[in-house]
Amino acid sequence: MADELHIASLVVHVHPQALNQVAQGLLQVDDAQVHGTHPDGKLVVTLEGPNAGAIMDKVAQIQQIEGVLNVSLVYQHAESRHFLNQEVGHDQHPA
């Protein structure tokens, strides 16, 4: 598909003492968002990009942040931007 949006979710495992440092480092990764953290050293992160290669490049960038132990790709979805920009209708069900 041309003109796609890929969305991926990750769990980033880090040294617990590096949790804040890694969260700050993730701010340098384009289109990365941290949605949650756990004091044991886990972050829930989403990435967006135009293709799977761009997502994997961002995963590689995250792996290079000091304090990161592992990056686990949990889910990846691709959707045409055309469909993402369409209005969602509501189904009418008879009473």
Side-chain angles (χ1 to χ4, degrees):
M1 279 189 209
D3 201 23
E4 292 180 328
L5 176 64
H6 287 244
I7 302 169
S9 62
L10 318 166
V11 175
V12 180
H13 297 262
V14 305
H15 290 288
Q17 66 272 20
L19 192 62
N20 290 332
Q21 173 186 334
V22 172
Q24 288 298 313
L26 286 165
L27 295 175
Q28 304 305 311
V29 179
D30 289 338
D31 298 316
Q33 294 182 8
V34 177
H35 297 277
T37 63
H38 190 277
D40 287 345
K42 295 178 185 159
L43 298 99
V44 176
V45 177
T46 57
L47 300 173
E48 293 183 4
N51 53 52
I55 295 291
M56 295 314 295
D57 288 346
K58 292 174 188 187
V59 168
Q61 185 180 354
I62 292 169
Q63 290 172 325
Q64 298 303 310
I65 297 172
E66 188 173 342
V68 171
L69 299 171
N70 186 44
V71 179
S72 299
L73 179 64
V74 176
Y75 182 79
Q76 182 172 344
H77 177 77
E79 191 77 42
S80 166
R81 288 184 188 272
H82 170 76
F83 291 116
L84 290 172
N85 291 326
Q86 290 182 348
E87 185 173 333
V88 176
H90 298 283
D91 290 337
Q92 298 281 331
H93 295 287

